[in-house]
Amino acid sequence: MPSLLEALELKYGDGPGECCLTDEEQEASCLSGSPRSHALSVSIFIPKKSPRHTVPALLVLQDCDIECAGGDDEKLRNKCRNVEELDLAQNKLSKWDEVFGILRHMPKIKFVNLSFNSLPESLEVKDGKYDALRSLVLNGTRVSWSTVQSLVRLLRSLEELHLSLNEYKTVELGTDNPDGLHHSLKRLHFTGNPVELWHEVSKLGRAFPSLESLSLAECPIRSLDTELRHAPSPDNRENEDTENMNHIHERNGGGGGAAMRLENGCGDKGNRNFEEDDMMPNYCSTNGDCDSSGIKTESAHDCFRMLRFLNLNSTLLSTWDDIDRLARFPALKSLRVQGCPLFESPREYTEHERRQLLIARLPNVETLNGGGVISSQEREDSERAFIRHYMDKPEAERPHRYEELIGIHGKLDPLVNVDLTPDKKVKVKFTYGDISEVRSVDVYRTVFELKTKLEAMVKIPANRMRLFYFDQELRSTYGPEEMLYPNKQLYRYNIRSGDEIMIDSKLNRYTSSQPPPSSPQAQQRQQSSVRS
């Protein structure tokens, strides 16, 4: 099926005038010519064609082997004039002139999906008006950066762009010329591209300065440090941390740990700023970082001043320093950061502890990992847990956020560790007639398992045995409690050392309401009958 026109005729028929009407056109056709159109009326719209034979506003033609628009422009224009959303994913389009040969017949087009069409050639279309087009999906198309640049210049109203799975290792968007910037784009999907350096990611922020949402999931980004200009080779990645430490040490004149520099963002007034870091005493009150010589350097957030949503799931972030860098993004409100080495190895934190440490380090983030809005109570609990987590650590290991939270909540007392789990074994007195014996009992055993253990002592089968539990503190008030449920664990009776369990046989036909003769109540009744 080589053309879009043929695909339309096969799916919706080949008669003339088979386009669907918009809501406005339907309303107009219902009320036009009515002498009482100014008053409230009930109208019924009866389409000339069955909906199955009209081209819908949402047109989906995936995997139809479409290669071109088709030869009859007028016929294609009549069929597609009301199409607003077009999905041509997984077809055989390979030329941009054919793509725009289709789009020029759709004046109301708002959304286009061209995913997994092979479109590596450069874009040569220089004219056309596509003011309604807001979203463009180019996942897996191998589209070149020069074509991306031409597209964003041509589509001036574009707000959402998908460039996932295009094997981009670098970003090649010209940002030196102000004409190369695209201020309308607000949402960019860059998932699954093998870009490793934040220095490259920052170029996206320069090219799209109004960016509000950015997805970098499944990109092998190892750090948000913009000073890294070369990705480590596989042979050297095991020693990466040591090499980076040595490099920073040498660059700062061998000043030891105090000379280590981390990014320090200084946002506009009204934003919460970080004046220094636990490993960075040199602070510079500018929009970037300052090295030891006072020269301003770029921060991770400098190119993303308007970014509100960021997805870093399944990246290679492995240090809390990068989380601290995220805290400096001035407009960031929603963050996704799961499946990273930071949280997987070593597994020293529970999921709840990780969430608390993230919330405490990210004071401006309102939603984390797709959850609901972080409540003020959860934030306070997280910040207090953060303080207690670091209060016993050496001062050199405490992040700067620790001192900030001490200023908010003050110094906290450590929590008392109260262990409410029952003792695993207790010593209980077992009585059967004249036989009395103290035994150590595992409280996690069931009643039936206890009966089985007592068979050798009293020579009564477990299924014919009755047990009566005496609480040492309550026995004078409530008497014995028969242990009726064979699968009930002993700790659920609140058994403690010093309590007593009396053994009896079912053949004696005693119930819990009539205690056995050896119980204190029965002995008291016997004494009363003797006196009488």
Side-chain angles (χ1 to χ4, degrees):
M1 190 179 299
S3 73
L4 174 67
L5 184 58
E6 291 179 12
L8 290 172
E9 289 176 346
L10 181 64
K11 189 171 184 178
Y12 300 104
D14 57 357
E18 294 173 349
C19 62
C20 63
L21 297 178
T22 62
D23 294 339
E24 294 81 2
E25 290 172 336
Q26 291 180 14
E27 183 178 357
S29 66
C30 292
L31 300 178
S32 61
S34 173
R36 302 180 61 186
S37 59
H38 63 281
L40 180 64
S41 61
V42 177
S43 302
I44 300 176
F45 172 71
I46 303 177
K48 295 180 180 179
K49 291 279 186 179
S50 167
R52 180 63 181 83
H53 295 105
T54 59
V55 178
L58 171 56
L59 179 58
V60 180
L61 292 170
Q62 289 189 5
D63 199 14
C64 293
D65 296 333
I66 296 172
E67 297 178 352
C68 60
D72 194 333
D73 289 352
E74 183 177 357
K75 198 171 185 179
L76 188 59
R77 186 179 303 110
N78 289 333
K79 287 180 176 292
C80 299
R81 63 187 177 90
N82 284 319
V83 173
E84 296 181 0
E85 298 184 33
L86 177 64
D87 188 347
L88 293 177
Q90 295 178 312
N91 281 288
K92 295 183 178 180
L93 293 167
S94 59
K95 298 182 181 297
W96 282 104
D97 56 351
E98 293 294 342
V99 172
F100 282 95
I102 294 172
L103 298 183
R104 63 190 178 92
H105 297 306
M106 302 177 180
K108 299 179 181 180
I109 193 70
K110 298 178 182 178
F111 170 90
V112 178
N113 183 5
L114 299 172
S115 296
F116 303 106
N117 287 276
S118 183
L119 294 165
E121 70 168 12
S122 298
L123 174 64
E124 298 180 359
V125 178
K126 301 297 182 183
D127 55 2
K129 190 174 182 180
Y130 306 94
D131 293 339
L133 186 57
R134 297 289 188 271
S135 300
L136 180 61
V137 184
L138 299 174
N139 297 335
T141 56
R142 296 187 297 165
V143 60
S144 65
W145 282 115
S146 61
T147 299
V148 173
Q149 188 111 0
S150 299
L151 284 170
V152 296
R153 288 176 180 172
L154 178 63
L155 309 175
R156 303 306 299 178
S157 300
L158 194 66
E159 296 180 357
E160 182 173 7
L161 180 60
H162 295 247
L163 295 175
S164 301
L165 303 173
N166 279 319
E167 301 180 5
Y168 296 135
K169 292 184 178 180
T170 59
V171 177
E172 300 172 12
L173 292 172
T175 57
D176 296 335
N177 188 348
D179 294 336
L181 306 182
H182 189 77
H183 292 272
S184 298
L185 195 75
K186 296 181 179 180
R187 297 178 296 277
L188 178 62
H189 297 259
F190 206 70
T191 299
N193 287 300
V195 62
E196 298 186 28
L197 300 176
W198 193 258
H199 170 70
E200 297 294 331
V201 176
S202 296
K203 297 177 184 178
L204 297 172
R206 293 194 200 99
F208 310 120
S210 300
L211 203 61
E212 296 179 0
S213 174
L214 176 61
S215 177
L216 298 170
E218 300 179 20
C219 294
I221 300 170
R222 303 180 65 83
S223 174
L224 272 64
D225 187 357
T226 56
E227 291 298 293
L228 297 177
R229 290 294 192 268
H230 301 285
S233 62
D235 296 336
N236 295 329
R237 282 181 179 174
E238 293 182 357
N239 300 322
E240 179 192 34
D241 293 339
T242 302
E243 292 175 358
N244 287 340
M245 294 284 289
N246 292 337
H247 170 71
I248 295 172
H249 178 84
E250 293 172 0
R251 185 185 63 187
N252 289 280
M260 294 178 62
R261 187 194 61 77
L262 293 177
E263 290 179 328
N264 182 63
C266 313
D268 299 332
K269 290 183 178 180
N271 295 324
R272 198 165 189 173
N273 299 331
F274 288 73
E275 296 185 353
E276 61 184 15
D277 203 58
D278 60 316
M279 299 172 66
M280 187 192 66
N282 296 326
Y283 171 71
C284 180
S285 57
T286 67
N287 289 337
D289 288 339
C290 293
D291 58 16
S292 57
S293 61
I295 300 176
K296 186 175 72 172
T297 58
E298 185 180 69
S299 298
H301 62 276
D302 279 346
C303 299
F304 298 99
R305 293 287 174 180
M306 300 182 67
L307 193 68
R308 297 179 60 83
F309 172 84
L310 179 60
N311 187 346
L312 292 171
N313 285 347
S314 301
T315 55
L316 299 181
L317 299 182
S318 59
T319 68
W320 286 106
D321 295 338
D322 290 317
I323 303 301
D324 292 336
R325 292 183 178 105
L326 290 172
R328 302 179 184 119
F329 282 62
L332 188 63
K333 300 299 180 185
S334 180
L335 174 67
R336 290 177 182 264
V337 55
Q338 293 177 303
C340 302
L342 173 61
F343 308 122
E344 294 181 353
S345 179
R347 297 177 181 270
E348 57 179 312
Y349 307 112
T350 65
E351 184 176 350
H352 179 65
E353 289 172 338
R354 289 198 299 266
R355 179 173 174 84
Q356 285 189 322
L357 292 175
L358 283 169
I359 291 174
R361 287 178 181 265
L362 301 168
N364 297 326
V365 171
E366 296 176 354
T367 60
L368 182 62
N369 294 329
V373 176
I374 300 170
S375 65
S376 57
Q377 184 63 50
E378 184 182 11
R379 185 171 296 280
E380 181 178 348
D381 292 344
S382 299
E383 291 175 349
R384 289 177 174 272
F386 182 89
I387 292 174
R388 290 189 171 97
H389 177 76
Y390 283 101
M391 64 190 308
D392 294 329
K393 295 185 180 295
E395 186 173 353
E397 296 181 13
R398 296 173 183 170
H400 177 71
R401 182 66 176 155
Y402 175 82
E403 297 299 331
E404 287 188 339
L405 294 178
I406 288 293
I408 296 173
H409 300 288
K411 292 187 177 181
L412 306 178
D413 295 328
L415 294 176
V416 178
N417 186 16
V418 179
D419 187 5
L420 298 178
T421 58
D423 294 333
K424 186 174 181 179
K425 290 192 175 184
V426 295
K427 290 186 177 182
V428 178
K429 180 181 179 181
F430 291 92
T431 302
Y432 176 64
D434 297 333
I435 303 173
S436 180
E437 184 177 331
V438 176
R439 290 192 176 190
S440 180
V441 177
D442 186 346
V443 297
Y444 289 94
R445 291 186 180 275
T446 63
V447 171
F448 184 78
E449 290 174 336
L450 177 60
K451 289 181 178 180
T452 303
K453 291 287 185 181
L454 295 173
E455 285 180 338
M457 173 183 171
V458 297
K459 310 302 181 184
I460 300 175
N463 59 350
R464 295 186 179 183
M465 190 184 302
R466 299 173 70 191
L467 300 180
F468 297 87
Y469 166 62
F470 289 89
D471 188 304
Q472 58 184 328
E473 296 180 358
L474 302 176
R475 64 184 301 164
S476 61
T477 305
Y478 296 102
E481 176 185 358
E482 185 171 2
M483 305 171 78
L484 293 171
Y485 305 103
N487 294 323
K488 188 173 181 179
Q489 290 177 298
L490 300 179
Y491 76 86
R492 297 179 65 183
Y493 288 96
N494 197 25
I495 294 180
R496 293 166 294 177
S497 293
D499 290 346
E500 180 182 357
I501 294 178
M502 189 174 63
I503 308 167
D504 195 14
S505 172
K506 289 183 179 180
L507 298 178
N508 293 333
R509 300 183 181 276
Y510 287 106
T511 64
S512 59
S513 60
Q514 181 181 355
S518 58
S519 67
Q521 290 86 345
Q523 293 175 2
Q524 185 177 2
R525 286 197 296 270
Q526 290 176 355
Q527 293 174 0
S528 299
S529 62
V530 170
R531 286 195 298 269
S532 62

